[in-house]
Every structure is written in structure tokens, then in C-alpha cells.
Amino acid sequence: MTHKTMPFARSLLAATLVGAFLAGCASKPPEPEWEMNAHGSAQKALDAYLSGNARVDKLEWERARAEVARTGRPDLLARLELLRCAAQVASLVVEPCTAFEALRQDAAPPERAYADHLAGRALTAPEVALLPAAQRAVATQGASGAALAAIEDPLSRLVAAGVLLQAGRADPAVIATATDTASAQGWRRPLMAWLLLQVQRAEAAGDKDAAERLRRRVAVVELAGGSK
């Protein structure tokens, strides 16, 4: 995983996903092998997913799942699945987080709240308080562009943008911010998704010049190759 995706993975894993992976410190016993392996594979899988490398993405997620499965703890596996679902939301893959839902009954309240947030559902105040700090502002009804721009971590910002879109609260500024964020990081998969959304909206508005300009950007991204 590149240093660009590391902050998001660390904050998400620590706050709502596999916090046990990062719980060790020098004064405690070394992390078990499964923790180190699962954490490393999850990071590699996330980076591969964002860059559009389907082969590595699939392989590393399978490795991460296998390592977590060694614990026999469905709650930890549920946390891991949420990381993948978050990356999908950032890339506008709008579909149920079925892998998590199969484990929901064993998931802790923060994971259940985060899954509902990713699905664009309205949360109660206590549920919002369980979310990662970067997501709390956008989970509040009425929040949109300003709250999104305040999120420092690029991937957290993209996840929040995807949530706003699913909730019907993504104005043009939100979409532009998401596109610029993915572009700046060179994340092919989410960039292509947000650009194509902009093309659709430009065409719907009858703005042929903007649509053509965006299609030229799409053509450049396609040069990067990768697997969907």
C-alpha cells in the first residue's frame, strides 16, 4: 500500500474495523502473526482496488480474510469486510455490503453504524457518535460540500462523497471535490467512476462542451489500463 492510502486504512482499521491489528506497542507482546499478515494484506488489497488491479485486489483480500478467519471471530471478519465496502463506496459501486451483512449479527455497534453510514442511511445521534471522526460531519443531515472539504485524508474524503451521493446530498461541488481528490492520488478506479458521473450530468444538462472535455479526461485515464 502506498503512503497515500495508509492514513485512511490505519484510522478506519483502528476506529471501526480491525483495531486489534494496531493495538500492540513496544511495552506489549509482539502482534500475533495473523494480525500482521491480515493488516499487510488488507493494505495491499486496498491499494490494488483503488488502482484498478483486480487480480492483486482479489488475491490480497482472500489472504486477509484467511488470516482473520484463523481467529474464529466473526466480529473481526465483519470489520475487515467493511474496509472493502468503504473502498467500493468511494468508487461509486452502489450495491449492498453483502459480506458484512452476513456477519452483522456478530458485529459490534460501531461496525453496524458504519455499515449503515456506507449505505447512505440516516443515523441517530448516538450512531453518528460511533463513526470514525472523519465521517461524523457528513453523517449529519444537511451537511455536504463544506464538511467534505474539511476532511484531510483523501480516501476518507472519497468515502464521505460516496455516502453523500447515495443519500442524495451530493451537489456539483461534492462531485468535483471527489473527482479532484481521486485525480490527485492517481486512483484510477474511483477517478473513472466520478468522471463518468460528471459526463452523465453534463449530458443531462445539455452542456456538450463540458461533456466532451470530461470524455477527454476519461480517455486519458483509460490509457492507464488496469482491470475492472
Side-chain angles (χ1 to χ4, degrees), residues 110-223:
E111 282 74 59
R112 294 198 295 270
Y114 192 77
D116 290 340
H117 174 67
L118 292 179
R121 303 184 188 117
L123 304 182
T124 64
E127 289 172 329
V128 170
L130 297 175
L131 296 177
Q135 301 299 316
R136 291 172 195 158
V138 296
T140 303
Q141 285 297 118
S144 59
L148 184 68
I151 298 175
E152 295 185 4
D153 178 68
L155 189 49
S156 295
R157 193 182 311 134
L158 277 179
V159 171
V163 168
L164 288 171
L165 184 68
Q166 290 193 74
R169 294 189 283 132
D171 58 22
V174 166
I175 297 172
T177 296
T179 304
D180 291 344
T181 298
S183 175
Q185 303 305 315
W187 288 333
R188 180 181 179 273
R189 188 185 298 270
L191 176 57
M192 183 67 79
W194 287 98
L195 281 173
L196 290 175
L197 176 62
Q198 285 190 305
V199 169
Q200 293 173 1
R201 296 206 169 186
E203 290 177 339
D207 192 339
K208 295 182 179 180
D209 290 340
E212 284 300 319
R213 183 175 65 254
L214 289 163
R215 288 194 195 95
R216 291 195 294 272
R217 292 193 66 183
V218 168
V220 171
V221 178
E222 288 175 338
L223 295 176

Side-chain angles (χ1 to χ4, degrees), residues 45-65:
L46 181 59
D47 194 51
Y49 181 84
L50 294 170
S51 64
N53 189 330
R55 183 185 64 81
V56 174
D57 163 42
K58 182 175 183 295
L59 179 63
E60 294 298 340
W61 280 123
E62 289 176 349
R63 286 176 174 170
R65 289 189 185 102

Side-chain angles (χ1 to χ4, degrees), residues 64-151:
R65 289 189 185 102
E67 292 296 332
V68 176
R70 290 168 59 183
T71 68
R73 291 183 56 182
D75 59 322
L76 290 184
L77 190 58
R79 293 173 184 176
L80 179 65
E81 294 298 350
L82 280 179
L83 179 60
R84 181 176 177 83
C85 291
Q88 291 175 329
V89 169
S91 304
L92 301 187
V93 177
V94 182
E95 59 186 34
C97 187
T98 54
F100 171 82
E101 292 302 328
L103 301 162
R104 178 184 278 269
Q105 63 182 343
D106 292 307
E111 282 74 59
R112 294 198 295 270
Y114 192 77
D116 290 340
H117 174 67
L118 292 179
R121 303 184 188 117
L123 304 182
T124 64
E127 289 172 329
V128 170
L130 297 175
L131 296 177
Q135 301 299 316
R136 291 172 195 158
V138 296
T140 303
Q141 285 297 118
S144 59
L148 184 68
I151 298 175

